[in-house]
Amino acid sequence: MKTTLTFLALCASIFFVSCKTSSPTAPANDYGTPTAEGTPTGSPSTATNDASGGSVTSPDGKLEVIIPANALSAATQISIQPGTNEAPLGVGAGYSLTPNGQTFSQPITLRFHYNTADIAGSDIHALAVATQKDDHIWYAFNDVTLDSTASTVSITTSHFSWYTVLEYFRVTPETGNIKVNQTLGLRVDFDPFASDTDPADALSPLREPSPYTNPEQVVWSVNGNLQANPGDGTVAPVSGS
């Protein structure tokens, strides 16, 4: 006999429930963690855009690149290449936008679509968008626009590189099967945001994910019951965590 549980951690103390989300405050004088560059998977989506503007959608429909009028001065072939996601707590695929390093005279919009599976073990207000710079560190945008009705998160940017959606926190494992009288270990992994290396670009470098360090801000429940029901199971913290 076994029971199947789905887990959710409530970290309301550190996340902002609003249409605009902001990254948590980070300690000063620390730096991001470099990661590998993503490996391309499948074929890219490609379209030619000029000064009149336009848009390109990724092959999986998850990312829209929206280019306003006058952002480009000449006709340019724009491509979205899906790839493996190397970002800390990355969600779904990573996307290489080419021509790599392409800049725009007006901000362009990147609109990511998410679904229920994308936020399993997390929450829509924990979604963020990040880009990988030449130093191979991922940098999260401090301002992300969340549209919970359309299930999208969007940012504006002025250049092409690798981009992805990630989560501030994630419960691991997201789901699990537990036999009677057996246990399953759960943890809340958190994306530590390092201090801004260049405040002018409104980006925060990301470090390697780690267990969340403020357990008093994490509330666990079983079937919605904070006290838990021994018939359903209980949640007990590991000493010091």
Side-chain angles (χ1 to χ4, degrees), residues 22-27 30-33 88 128-133 135 137-143 166 168 191-207:
S22 301
S23 60
T25 301
D30 57 357
Y31 300 92
T33 303
V129 177
T131 184
Q132 189 178 38
K133 292 188 178 183
D135 58 10
I137 293 173
W138 286 90
Y139 292 76
F141 285 78
N142 294 335
D143 293 313
L166 56 89
Y168 290 155
D191 252 339
F193 283 69
S195 58
D196 287 354
T197 55
D198 182 3
D201 65 8
L203 299 173
S204 293
L206 295 170
R207 293 178 292 163

Side-chain angles (χ1 to χ4, degrees), residues 8-219:
L8 173 65
L10 304 178
C11 300
S13 300
I14 55 174
F15 302 112
F16 301 87
V17 183
S18 66
C19 291
K20 279 262 189 183
T21 62
S22 301
S23 60
T25 301
N29 301 321
D30 57 357
Y31 300 92
T33 303
T35 73
E37 192 172 283
T39 301
T41 56
S43 300
S45 292
T46 301
T48 298
N49 288 266
D50 55 23
S52 62
S55 64
V56 187
T57 302
S58 62
D60 58 8
K62 291 274 192 159
L63 170 60
E64 296 175 78
V65 177
I66 303 166
I67 302 172
N70 301 317
L72 290 167
S73 59
T76 306
Q77 188 177 67
I78 303 297
S79 293
I80 305 176
Q81 173 63 64
T84 56
N85 197 332
E86 305 297 335
L89 297 186
V91 176
Y95 300 92
S96 174
L97 306 185
T98 59
N100 185 48
Q102 173 72 45
T103 59
F104 299 87
S105 55
Q106 307 246 10
I108 66 171
T109 298
L110 305 187
R111 180 185 295 150
F112 291 87
H113 296 257
Y114 64 86
N115 56 35
T116 302
D118 293 330
I119 55 173
S122 190
D123 184 82
I124 59 174
H125 298 99
L127 293 174
V129 177
T131 184
Q132 189 178 38
K133 292 188 178 183
D134 291 341
D135 58 10
H136 285 193
I137 293 173
W138 286 90
Y139 292 76
F141 285 78
N142 294 335
D143 293 313
V144 177
T145 300
L146 169 67
D147 185 335
S148 58
T149 301
S151 297
T152 62
V153 286
S154 305
I155 57 95
T156 58
T157 185
S158 60
H159 76 282
F160 273 177
S161 181
W162 278 88
Y163 288 84
T164 190
V165 172
L166 56 89
E167 295 162 338
Y168 290 155
F169 77 91
R170 182 182 298 160
V171 180
T172 304
E174 298 165 2
T175 62
N177 295 323
I178 309 172
K179 292 183 178 180
V180 172
N181 295 326
Q182 292 194 350
T183 62
L184 177 68
L186 306 175
R187 58 185 279 169
V188 179
D189 283 321
F190 176 69
D191 252 339
F193 283 69
S195 58
D196 287 354
T197 55
D198 182 3
D201 65 8
L203 299 173
S204 293
L206 295 170
R207 293 178 292 163
E208 185 177 358
S210 60
Y212 189 57
T213 55
N214 299 102
E216 71 279 0
Q217 295 179 344
V218 180
V219 178

